[in-house]
Amino acid sequence: MIIPVRCFTCGKVVADKYEEFNRRVQHGEDPAEVLDDLGLKRYCCRRMLLSHIDIIDSFMAFATVEPTEGS
Amino acid sequence: MEVRIVHKTENEVHFLVEGINAAFANALRRTMLTRLPTMVIDEVLILENTSVMYDEVLAHRLGLVPLVTDLTSYNLPDECDCEGKGCSLCQCTLTLEVEAGDEERVVYSRDLNSQNPKIVPAADNIPLVKLAPHQCLIIEAYARLGTGRENAKFQPVATVAYKNVPIVSVDKSKCDMCGACIDVCPKRILWNDGGTLATQNTLDCSLCEICVKSCEVGAITIDYKKDTFLFKVESTGALPPVEIVERAAEILKERIQIALDFANSL
Protein backbone atom coordinates (compact mmCIF):
# COMPACT_ATOMS: atom_id res chain seq x y z
CA MET A 1 0.00 0.00 0.00
CA ILE A 2 2.60 2.51 1.14
CA ILE A 3 6.34 2.02 1.65
CA PRO A 4 6.99 -0.09 4.80
CA VAL A 5 8.60 1.94 7.60
CA ARG A 6 11.39 -0.55 8.23
CA CYS A 7 13.24 -3.26 6.40
CA PHE A 8 11.45 -6.57 7.06
CA THR A 9 14.69 -8.42 7.67
CA CYS A 10 17.09 -6.16 9.55
CA GLY A 11 14.85 -3.38 10.90
CA LYS A 12 16.63 -0.43 9.32
CA VAL A 13 14.35 2.53 8.66
CA VAL A 14 13.85 2.67 4.89
CA ALA A 15 10.64 4.70 4.50
CA ASP A 16 12.35 8.08 4.79
CA LYS A 17 14.56 7.26 1.81
CA TYR A 18 11.80 6.17 -0.56
CA GLU A 19 10.78 9.57 -1.90
CA GLU A 20 14.32 10.58 -2.75
CA PHE A 21 14.95 7.17 -4.31
CA ASN A 22 11.84 7.43 -6.46
CA ARG A 23 12.57 10.98 -7.57
CA ARG A 24 16.15 10.26 -8.53
CA VAL A 25 15.36 7.03 -10.35
CA GLN A 26 12.65 8.81 -12.32
CA HIS A 27 15.24 11.39 -13.32
CA GLY A 28 17.17 8.58 -14.95
CA GLU A 29 19.80 7.74 -12.34
CA ASP A 30 20.97 4.17 -11.89
CA PRO A 31 18.96 2.63 -9.00
CA ALA A 32 22.05 0.80 -7.71
CA GLU A 33 23.98 4.05 -7.34
CA VAL A 34 21.07 5.83 -5.67
CA LEU A 35 20.75 2.99 -3.15
CA ASP A 36 24.48 3.18 -2.39
CA ASP A 37 24.15 6.94 -1.90
CA LEU A 38 21.25 6.50 0.50
CA GLY A 39 23.34 4.14 2.61
CA LEU A 40 21.40 0.97 1.89
CA LYS A 41 24.23 -1.54 1.71
CA ARG A 42 22.51 -4.82 2.49
CA TYR A 43 20.38 -6.56 -0.08
CA CYS A 44 17.54 -6.94 2.41
CA CYS A 45 17.08 -3.16 2.63
CA ARG A 46 17.73 -2.64 -1.08
CA ARG A 47 14.93 -4.97 -2.10
CA MET A 48 12.52 -3.03 0.14
CA LEU A 49 12.78 0.00 -2.14
CA LEU A 50 13.46 -1.78 -5.43
CA SER A 51 10.49 -4.12 -5.26
CA HIS A 52 7.97 -1.75 -3.72
CA ILE A 53 4.85 -0.74 -5.64
CA ASP A 54 2.91 2.16 -4.17
CA ILE A 55 -0.80 1.43 -4.50
CA ILE A 56 -2.20 3.90 -1.98
CA ASP A 57 -3.01 6.28 -4.86
CA SER A 58 -5.25 3.67 -6.44
CA PHE A 59 -7.06 3.26 -3.12
CA MET A 60 -7.47 6.99 -2.79
CA ALA A 61 -9.55 7.07 -5.97
CA PHE A 62 -12.29 5.48 -3.89
CA ALA A 63 -11.76 7.69 -0.85
CA THR A 64 -14.56 9.19 1.18
CA VAL A 65 -14.38 11.85 3.86
CA GLU A 66 -17.13 10.30 5.98
CA PRO A 67 -16.02 8.01 8.80
CA THR A 68 -16.65 4.40 7.78
CA GLU A 69 -18.95 2.23 9.83
CA GLY A 70 -17.44 0.74 12.95
CA SER A 71 -14.81 3.40 13.48
CA MET B 1 40.65 -6.51 26.43
CA GLU B 2 41.35 -3.66 24.09
CA VAL B 3 38.81 -1.68 22.06
CA ARG B 4 39.64 0.44 19.05
CA ILE B 5 37.14 2.42 16.97
CA VAL B 6 37.78 1.93 13.28
CA HIS B 7 34.99 3.91 11.73
CA LYS B 8 32.38 6.21 13.22
CA THR B 9 29.50 8.15 11.70
CA GLU B 10 26.31 9.61 13.14
CA ASN B 11 24.43 6.33 13.04
CA GLU B 12 27.13 3.73 12.71
CA VAL B 13 30.22 2.59 14.54
CA HIS B 14 32.75 -0.10 13.64
CA PHE B 15 35.18 -1.17 16.31
CA LEU B 16 37.73 -3.85 17.02
CA VAL B 17 37.76 -5.75 20.30
CA GLU B 18 40.88 -7.68 21.10
CA GLY B 19 41.20 -10.42 23.68
CA ILE B 20 37.67 -11.86 23.81
CA ASN B 21 36.10 -15.08 22.56
CA ALA B 22 33.05 -15.69 20.37
CA ALA B 23 30.81 -16.36 23.39
CA PHE B 24 31.54 -12.95 24.87
CA ALA B 25 31.20 -11.22 21.51
CA ASN B 26 27.80 -12.80 21.04
CA ALA B 27 26.72 -11.91 24.58
CA LEU B 28 27.53 -8.28 23.86
CA ARG B 29 25.72 -8.42 20.53
CA ARG B 30 22.60 -9.92 22.05
CA THR B 31 22.62 -7.43 24.92
CA MET B 32 22.61 -4.59 22.41
CA LEU B 33 19.73 -6.19 20.52
CA THR B 34 17.44 -7.26 23.34
CA ARG B 35 18.32 -5.66 26.66
CA LEU B 36 18.77 -2.00 25.95
CA PRO B 37 15.57 0.04 26.39
CA THR B 38 14.41 2.60 23.86
CA MET B 39 11.32 4.69 23.57
CA VAL B 40 8.70 3.79 21.01
CA ILE B 41 4.97 4.41 20.55
CA ASP B 42 3.18 1.47 22.14
CA GLU B 43 -0.43 2.51 22.50
CA VAL B 44 -2.47 4.50 20.02
CA LEU B 45 -5.83 6.13 20.50
CA ILE B 46 -7.50 6.87 17.18
CA LEU B 47 -10.09 9.60 17.56
CA GLU B 48 -10.65 10.12 13.88
CA ASN B 49 -9.28 8.41 10.82
CA THR B 50 -11.01 8.95 7.51
CA SER B 51 -7.93 7.95 5.48
CA VAL B 52 -7.90 4.87 3.27
CA MET B 53 -5.60 3.11 5.71
CA TYR B 54 -7.05 0.91 8.44
CA ASP B 55 -6.57 2.05 12.03
CA GLU B 56 -4.55 -1.07 12.87
CA VAL B 57 -2.14 -0.59 9.98
CA LEU B 58 -1.63 3.04 10.89
CA ALA B 59 -1.04 2.17 14.56
CA HIS B 60 1.52 -0.44 13.48
CA ARG B 61 3.34 2.09 11.32
CA LEU B 62 3.43 4.58 14.20
CA GLY B 63 4.96 1.90 16.40
CA LEU B 64 7.82 1.38 13.97
CA VAL B 65 8.91 5.02 13.95
CA PRO B 66 12.09 5.28 16.06
CA LEU B 67 12.03 8.06 18.65
CA VAL B 68 15.08 9.85 20.01
CA THR B 69 15.36 8.37 23.48
CA ASP B 70 16.35 10.10 26.67
CA LEU B 71 17.15 7.21 28.99
CA THR B 72 17.88 9.38 32.00
CA SER B 73 14.47 11.03 32.35
CA TYR B 74 12.17 8.04 31.86
CA ASN B 75 11.64 4.82 33.81
CA LEU B 76 10.81 1.40 32.46
CA PRO B 77 7.06 0.90 33.15
CA ASP B 78 7.79 -2.17 35.35
CA GLU B 79 10.19 -0.21 37.52
CA CYS B 80 8.08 2.96 37.72
CA ASP B 81 6.33 4.10 40.91
CA CYS B 82 2.98 4.00 39.09
CA GLU B 83 3.41 0.23 38.68
CA GLY B 84 3.06 0.31 34.92
CA LYS B 85 -0.22 2.20 34.77
CA GLY B 86 1.40 5.03 32.85
CA CYS B 87 2.49 8.34 34.35
CA SER B 88 4.60 11.24 33.15
CA LEU B 89 7.73 9.46 34.39
CA CYS B 90 7.30 6.43 32.16
CA GLN B 91 5.13 7.65 29.31
CA CYS B 92 5.23 10.40 26.72
CA THR B 93 2.20 11.50 24.73
CA LEU B 94 2.44 12.38 21.07
CA THR B 95 -0.44 13.79 19.06
CA LEU B 96 -1.07 13.79 15.36
CA GLU B 97 -3.70 16.14 13.98
CA VAL B 98 -3.74 16.58 10.25
CA GLU B 99 -6.45 17.56 7.86
CA ALA B 100 -5.89 17.66 4.13
CA GLY B 101 -7.08 20.78 2.34
CA ASP B 102 -8.24 20.76 -1.24
CA GLU B 103 -5.22 18.74 -2.26
CA GLU B 104 -3.73 15.39 -1.38
CA ARG B 105 -1.39 15.47 1.58
CA VAL B 106 1.24 13.06 2.81
CA VAL B 107 1.44 12.76 6.58
CA TYR B 108 5.06 12.48 7.74
CA SER B 109 6.59 11.49 11.05
CA ARG B 110 7.53 15.15 11.62
CA ASP B 111 3.80 15.96 11.93
CA LEU B 112 3.79 14.17 15.29
CA ASN B 113 3.64 16.68 18.14
CA SER B 114 5.42 15.49 21.21
CA GLN B 115 4.62 16.48 24.78
CA ASN B 116 8.35 16.34 25.54
CA PRO B 117 10.50 18.25 23.02
CA LYS B 118 13.33 15.73 23.59
CA ILE B 119 11.25 12.75 22.51
CA VAL B 120 10.83 13.29 18.78
CA PRO B 121 10.97 10.98 15.75
CA ALA B 122 14.57 10.14 14.85
CA ALA B 123 13.79 10.51 11.16
CA ASP B 124 11.64 13.45 10.06
CA ASN B 125 10.36 12.34 6.71
CA ILE B 126 8.92 8.89 7.19
CA PRO B 127 5.64 8.85 5.23
CA LEU B 128 2.93 7.48 7.52
CA VAL B 129 -0.13 7.77 5.32
CA LYS B 130 -1.45 9.74 2.38
CA LEU B 131 -4.68 11.71 2.77
CA ALA B 132 -7.11 12.44 -0.04
CA PRO B 133 -8.66 15.96 -0.07
CA HIS B 134 -10.54 16.78 3.16
CA GLN B 135 -9.67 13.53 4.91
CA CYS B 136 -8.45 13.92 8.43
CA LEU B 137 -6.56 12.22 11.21
CA ILE B 138 -6.76 12.85 14.95
CA ILE B 139 -4.55 10.50 16.87
CA GLU B 140 -3.13 10.35 20.36
CA ALA B 141 -0.16 8.04 20.79
CA TYR B 142 1.62 6.98 23.96
CA ALA B 143 5.32 6.20 23.83
CA ARG B 144 7.06 4.22 26.52
CA LEU B 145 10.36 2.50 27.17
CA GLY B 146 10.72 -1.16 26.33
CA THR B 147 13.36 -3.65 25.31
CA GLY B 148 13.93 -5.71 22.18
CA ARG B 149 13.15 -8.81 24.21
CA GLU B 150 9.50 -7.75 24.24
CA ASN B 151 9.14 -6.50 20.68
CA ALA B 152 11.67 -5.94 17.91
CA LYS B 153 10.46 -2.35 17.47
CA PHE B 154 12.22 -1.47 20.73
CA GLN B 155 15.63 -2.51 19.40
CA PRO B 156 17.96 0.49 19.34
CA VAL B 157 19.97 -1.07 16.52
CA ALA B 158 19.14 -2.12 13.00
CA THR B 159 21.95 -4.65 12.90
CA VAL B 160 24.81 -5.62 15.12
CA ALA B 161 27.26 -7.95 13.49
CA TYR B 162 30.69 -9.17 14.42
CA LYS B 163 33.30 -11.19 12.61
CA ASN B 164 36.78 -12.45 13.23
CA VAL B 165 39.55 -10.21 11.96
CA PRO B 166 40.90 -11.70 8.72
CA ILE B 167 44.60 -12.23 8.05
CA VAL B 168 45.48 -12.35 4.37
CA SER B 169 49.03 -13.51 3.83
CA VAL B 170 50.91 -13.89 0.56
CA ASP B 171 53.95 -16.15 0.21
CA LYS B 172 56.00 -13.96 -2.12
CA SER B 173 58.46 -16.77 -2.92
CA LYS B 174 55.65 -18.87 -4.40
CA CYS B 175 53.64 -16.10 -6.10
CA ASP B 176 54.15 -15.95 -9.85
CA MET B 177 52.04 -12.78 -10.34
CA CYS B 178 49.48 -14.47 -12.58
CA GLY B 179 46.87 -11.96 -11.36
CA ALA B 180 44.05 -14.50 -11.08
CA CYS B 181 43.40 -13.67 -7.41
CA ILE B 182 43.27 -9.91 -8.10
CA ASP B 183 40.47 -10.34 -10.66
CA VAL B 184 38.52 -12.80 -8.58
CA CYS B 185 38.45 -11.04 -5.18
CA PRO B 186 34.98 -9.50 -4.68
CA LYS B 187 36.24 -7.05 -2.04
CA ARG B 188 39.34 -5.94 -4.00
CA ILE B 189 41.70 -6.82 -1.16
CA LEU B 190 44.56 -7.90 -3.42
CA TRP B 191 46.29 -5.60 -5.86
CA ASN B 192 49.40 -5.36 -7.96
CA ASP B 193 51.85 -3.01 -6.26
CA GLY B 194 54.49 -2.51 -8.92
CA GLY B 195 55.08 -6.18 -9.70
CA THR B 196 54.43 -7.67 -6.26
CA LEU B 197 51.15 -8.82 -4.81
CA ALA B 198 50.00 -6.53 -2.02
CA THR B 199 46.97 -6.43 0.26
CA GLN B 200 44.75 -3.51 1.21
CA ASN B 201 41.69 -3.01 3.46
CA THR B 202 42.05 -6.53 4.82
CA LEU B 203 39.28 -5.81 7.35
CA ASP B 204 36.81 -5.95 4.46
CA CYS B 205 37.81 -9.53 3.62
CA SER B 206 34.79 -11.82 3.91
CA LEU B 207 36.95 -14.96 4.27
CA CYS B 208 35.37 -16.39 1.11
CA GLU B 209 38.72 -17.94 0.04
CA ILE B 210 38.01 -17.58 -3.68
CA CYS B 211 41.54 -16.21 -4.04
CA VAL B 212 42.98 -19.34 -2.40
CA LYS B 213 41.10 -21.55 -4.87
CA SER B 214 42.14 -19.41 -7.84
CA CYS B 215 45.85 -19.51 -6.88
CA GLU B 216 47.38 -22.52 -8.62
CA VAL B 217 50.74 -22.29 -6.87
CA GLY B 218 49.16 -21.98 -3.41
CA ALA B 219 50.78 -18.68 -2.42
CA ILE B 220 47.79 -17.20 -0.57
CA THR B 221 46.56 -18.25 2.84
CA ILE B 222 43.52 -16.78 4.57
CA ASP B 223 43.34 -17.06 8.31
CA TYR B 224 41.63 -15.14 11.09
CA LYS B 225 42.57 -13.94 14.54
CA LYS B 226 40.73 -16.13 17.04
CA ASP B 227 40.56 -13.51 19.78
CA THR B 228 39.86 -10.32 17.82
CA PHE B 229 36.44 -9.29 16.59
CA LEU B 230 35.23 -6.54 14.32
CA PHE B 231 31.85 -5.22 15.45
CA LYS B 232 29.52 -3.28 13.19
CA VAL B 233 26.77 -1.47 15.08
CA GLU B 234 24.12 0.40 13.16
CA SER B 235 21.71 2.53 15.17
CA THR B 236 18.12 3.28 14.17
CA GLY B 237 18.63 6.82 15.44
CA ALA B 238 17.05 6.25 18.87
CA LEU B 239 20.41 6.39 20.63
CA PRO B 240 23.88 7.32 19.40
CA PRO B 241 25.78 4.12 18.43
CA VAL B 242 28.60 4.70 20.93
CA GLU B 243 26.10 5.08 23.75
CA ILE B 244 24.42 1.84 22.67
CA VAL B 245 27.69 -0.05 23.06
CA GLU B 246 28.58 1.59 26.37
CA ARG B 247 25.19 1.01 27.93
CA ALA B 248 24.99 -2.55 26.61
CA ALA B 249 28.37 -3.26 28.20
CA GLU B 250 27.11 -1.91 31.54
CA ILE B 251 23.93 -3.99 31.36
CA LEU B 252 25.94 -7.09 30.49
CA LYS B 253 28.23 -6.45 33.45
CA GLU B 254 25.27 -6.13 35.82
CA ARG B 255 23.72 -9.32 34.50
CA ILE B 256 26.95 -11.25 34.86
CA GLN B 257 27.23 -9.96 38.44
CA ILE B 258 23.70 -11.17 39.19
CA ALA B 259 24.57 -14.62 37.82
CA LEU B 260 27.80 -14.71 39.86
CA ASP B 261 26.05 -13.65 43.06
CA PHE B 262 23.49 -16.37 42.53
CA ALA B 263 26.16 -18.98 41.90
CA ASN B 264 28.00 -17.94 45.06
CA SER B 265 24.86 -18.16 47.17
CA LEU B 266 24.34 -21.83 46.34
Side-chain angles (χ1 to χ4, degrees), chain A residues 67 71, chain B residues 46-55 58 136-138:
Chain A
S71 62
Chain B
I46 298 188
L47 300 167
E48 196 164 330
N49 174 17
T50 50
S51 78
V52 290
M53 194 177 271
Y54 291 118
D55 296 355
L58 189 56
C136 94
L137 277 183
I138 304 174

Side-chain angles (χ1 to χ4, degrees), chain B residues 4-254:
Chain B
R4 186 160 61 88
I5 295 178
V6 185
H7 169 79
K8 194 173 130 188
T9 59
E10 198 189 339
N11 278 327
E12 218 180 325
V13 67
H14 295 179
F15 60 95
L16 285 168
V17 188
E18 224 170 295
I20 59 171
N21 58 16
F24 184 83
N26 197 35
L28 184 61
R29 184 187 74 92
R30 292 183 59 142
T31 309
M32 284 189 243
L33 278 170
T34 59
R35 298 283 169 175
L36 195 59
T38 54
M39 202 139 204
V40 154
I41 291 170
D42 192 51
E43 221 176 297
V44 176
L45 186 66
I46 298 188
L47 300 167
E48 196 164 330
N49 174 17
T50 50
S51 78
V52 290
M53 194 177 271
Y54 291 118
D55 296 355
E56 293 87 339
V57 181
L58 189 56
H60 177 241
R61 287 181 72 83
L62 284 168
L64 291 173
V65 173
L67 303 174
V68 177
T69 305
D70 177 14
L71 284 177
T72 48
S73 47
Y74 284 94
N75 297 327
L76 274 164
D78 301 343
E79 295 162 10
C80 189
D81 294 336
C82 70
E83 292 164 344
K85 287 192 202 94
C87 64
S88 60
L89 287 172
C90 62
Q91 213 174 47
C92 175
T93 309
L94 293 100
T95 51
L96 182 66
E97 272 189 62
V98 184
E99 193 179 349
D102 292 331
E103 281 179 23
E104 286 178 1
R105 186 184 190 294
V106 183
V107 182
Y108 292 96
S109 54
R110 60 171 168 267
D111 295 317
L112 280 163
N113 285 316
S114 177
Q115 172 197 36
N116 180 344
K118 277 188 188 165
I119 310 291
V120 288
D124 272 344
N125 38 359
I126 300 173
L128 294 171
V129 64
K130 212 167 177 180
L131 298 178
H134 306 295
Q135 288 186 334
C136 94
L137 277 183
I138 304 174
I139 291 173
E140 223 174 273
Y142 306 101
R144 67 166 176 90
L145 285 179
T147 59
R149 198 160 59 117
E150 190 182 338
N151 189 315
K153 71 181 177 183
F154 290 113
Q155 280 176 195
V157 284
T159 50
V160 203
Y162 62 84
K163 68 171 184 184
N164 284 100
V165 169
I167 309 168
V168 184
S169 41
V170 182
D171 187 348
K172 294 224 169 74
S173 60
K174 282 189 193 165
C175 179
D176 58 0
M177 281 312 289
C178 65
C181 55
I182 298 173
D183 300 333
V184 94
C185 179
K187 302 279 181 184
R188 312 214 170 277
I189 306 287
L190 299 153
W191 62 297
N192 185 344
D193 181 16
T196 53
L197 192 64
T199 57
Q200 61 181 0
N201 306 331
T202 45
L203 276 182
D204 290 343
C205 176
S206 62
L207 305 169
C208 66
E209 300 201 343
I210 294 179
C211 53
V212 176
K213 282 175 205 136
S214 76
C215 186
E216 282 170 12
V217 291
I220 304 172
T221 45
I222 303 280
D223 199 7
Y224 57 87
K225 289 187 196 164
K226 310 270 179 308
D227 70 335
T228 308
F229 291 84
L230 173 67
F231 273 83
K232 292 180 181 178
V233 179
E234 197 179 303
S235 163
T236 55
L239 291 166
V242 175
E243 194 183 333
I244 291 173
V245 181
E246 284 171 358
R247 284 193 183 262
E250 275 166 34
I251 293 169
L252 182 59
K253 207 170 161 187
E254 272 168 38

